[in-house]
Amino acid sequence: MGHSLDRAVPGDVTSPPSTADLLEELRGYLRADPPAISLPPRLFTSPDVYESERARIFGRSWMMVAHRDQLAQPGDYLALEIAGEPVVITRGDDGMLHGMSPVCRHRMMPLVEPGSGNTQDFTCPYHLWRYRLDGTLLAATHMRGNADFDPGQCRLPAFAVEEWRGFVFVNLQADASTLEDHLTGVDGDLANYRLDDMVQISTWTEVWRCNWKVAVENSYENYHAIGFHPNTVKPLMTGGIDMEVHADSPLVTRLLTRTGEPMEPSVLPLTEEEKRVLYSFRMFPCSSLATFGESIAWISLIPLSIDRTEVRGGTLMPAAALEGADVEAIRKQTEQFTGVINTEDRLGLEAVQRTLGSRFIERGHLSPKEPGVLAFYRNLALALAAD
Ligand code: FES
Ligand SMILES: [Fe+2]
């Protein structure tokens, strides 16, 4: 049965859909036969929807933010923003990872700017309160005269942090359910890739001027390789752009792309099946990991604001495959190739973003080549609109 797109009259701005209407449309993707149509355009621009996403999605989801090689030494830290929330992750003197809100408990000064580095503690630039790498207060100057202030009770709010097979995940909900429970299936699928023995040969961060969902829905289909990536990704799709989609749970979707030619590994014990498949898993809301022969790429598409998305990623290879190799040359080549593909996606998706204010846009029909997109919409509906 076809799905009608005639709910809204194109060009009619007298009655933009209410948030309740938008959520009702989103609920359509929860049906057993979801409509093969794209999201309502207002869903990308509604401040109400964004606020709901901050609370219901980014305030309580696991997100991949780094590889352990970026947080290898005690004192290493990584600072970023997740949907408007400052976040810092540290490797403590105890060797453990800690996640916390790096905003001073005195009068709200940021303790660290987004980026990475190595430090012994975080000293607030405003009045010099100091915090340890685990978020507890180390010292507060000139505070002895305030009897109400108990330094032992003062600490930065903690976030949940977990390392899974070398990937560092954060969840702003401190008592979030264990990440590993969600990833046991993926762990089995990727056993032959020996993720624990991989090293990250390059990592990068970019900002794309688009809503996070514009970027994420794009990552659930190969269909766009023919338009955005004719000379980069498309030639790699030797078996065609079809994807097998396995929506295992509301959190994990596996996307498989068959290659025409097997990719022969140099060190990994891949099966014949694994040599012929580009395996990728998407973890709702915004993280993913994909195999390509022996290398693995991770990427997360994290909102900075309603119309800007931080794209963080990296490429890994088995340590054994790099022995005796010119690692610098491999790194350069990887960065160059990733950079070109990212620019192709960024320019295209920023162009999509610029249309979102048009009065004439409306929901469009999806191709049978885009089942992954519907899997993402379903997860979005579960997070925002399920009863
Ligand atoms: S705001 Fe940080 S010490 Fe005052
Ligand atoms: Fe792309």
Side-chain angles (χ1 to χ4, degrees), residues 50-353:
Y50 183 63
E51 279 311 306
S52 177
E53 290 170 348
R54 290 186 69 202
R56 299 180 66 138
I57 298 178
F58 296 99
R60 56 191 194 200
S61 297
W62 285 105
M63 285 159 278
M64 196 185 277
V65 291
H67 185 263
R68 65 168 169 229
D69 289 359
Q70 293 163 260
L71 290 156
Q73 302 301 324
D76 282 354
Y77 72 85
L78 183 77
L80 70 158
E81 260 185 46
I82 297 178
E85 280 296 347
V87 174
V88 69
I89 297 167
T90 61
R91 177 76 67 184
D93 297 322
D94 52 3
M96 304 287 287
L97 290 173
H98 303 277
M100 67 208 88
S101 164
V103 180
C104 187
R105 304 305 280 172
H106 175 222
R107 275 179 29 222
M108 297 168 286
M109 179 76 190
L111 297 170
V112 60
E113 292 301 316
S116 58
N118 183 280
T119 187
Q120 292 189 326
D121 55 55
F122 293 107
T123 301
C124 178
Y126 205 169
H127 315 92
L128 306 183
W129 288 22
R130 288 168 68 198
Y131 300 85
R132 296 183 187 88
L133 294 169
D134 65 359
T136 53
L137 187 75
L138 179 61
T141 51
H142 304 297
M143 288 299 291
R144 280 217 185 92
N146 184 339
D148 292 333
F149 176 66
D150 177 358
Q153 293 298 313
C154 181
R155 61 151 302 144
L156 305 176
F159 301 142
V161 181
E162 277 192 39
E163 198 178 305
W164 172 83
R165 300 290 173 223
F167 297 97
V168 178
F169 288 77
V170 68
N171 191 321
L172 304 195
Q173 192 176 316
D175 60 352
S177 68
T178 314
L179 167 71
E180 203 158 329
D181 294 348
H182 303 292
L183 295 178
T184 41
V186 177
D187 216 17
D189 289 345
L190 293 179
N192 285 342
Y193 288 87
R194 302 189 170 166
L195 296 179
D196 287 324
D197 300 331
M198 289 215 168
V199 291
Q200 183 164 259
I201 55 169
S202 74
T203 182
W204 43 271
T205 301
E206 297 190 352
V207 176
W208 295 359
R209 303 192 78 80
C210 65
N211 180 265
W212 70 279
K213 298 185 294 300
V214 169
V216 171
E217 65 176 3
N218 166 273
S219 76
Y220 276 75
E221 47 94 349
N222 293 335
Y223 189 24
H224 77 277
I226 59 178
F228 284 0
H229 311 295
N231 304 314
T232 47
V233 179
K234 186 172 163 253
L236 305 177
M237 304 268 161
T238 54
I241 58 172
D242 282 296
M243 263 180 180
E244 253 173 59
V245 177
H246 303 272
D248 297 342
S249 75
L251 214 58
V252 174
T253 306
R254 286 177 301 140
L255 307 173
L256 308 183
T257 305
R258 307 253 156 219
T259 64
E261 301 295 319
M263 292 169 295
E264 291 299 333
S266 63
V267 297
L268 294 180
L270 299 185
T271 63
E272 287 309 308
E273 163 80 359
E274 285 165 343
K275 289 177 198 170
R276 290 178 176 276
V277 147
L278 304 176
Y279 176 100
S280 100
F281 87 86
R282 300 280 180 269
M283 190 168 163
F284 186 80
C286 61
S287 300
S288 67
L289 190 154
T291 69
F292 185 75
E294 275 189 319
S295 71
I296 297 257
W298 68 273
I299 193 167
S300 275
L301 302 151
I302 301 173
L304 291 171
S305 63
I306 193 169
D307 58 0
R308 279 184 314 139
T309 299
E310 183 162 275
V311 187
R312 310 177 70 86
T315 306
L316 283 70
M317 289 187 71
L322 295 171
E323 272 167 28
D326 183 346
V327 178
E328 219 25 63
I330 296 173
R331 184 194 321 278
K332 269 207 183 109
Q333 197 184 16
T334 306
E335 282 175 356
Q336 209 262 341
F337 190 60
T338 311
V340 171
I341 295 172
N342 280 345
T343 301
E344 290 170 345
D345 279 320
R346 179 176 62 77
L347 293 176
L349 300 175
E350 289 181 346
V352 170
Q353 178 73 28

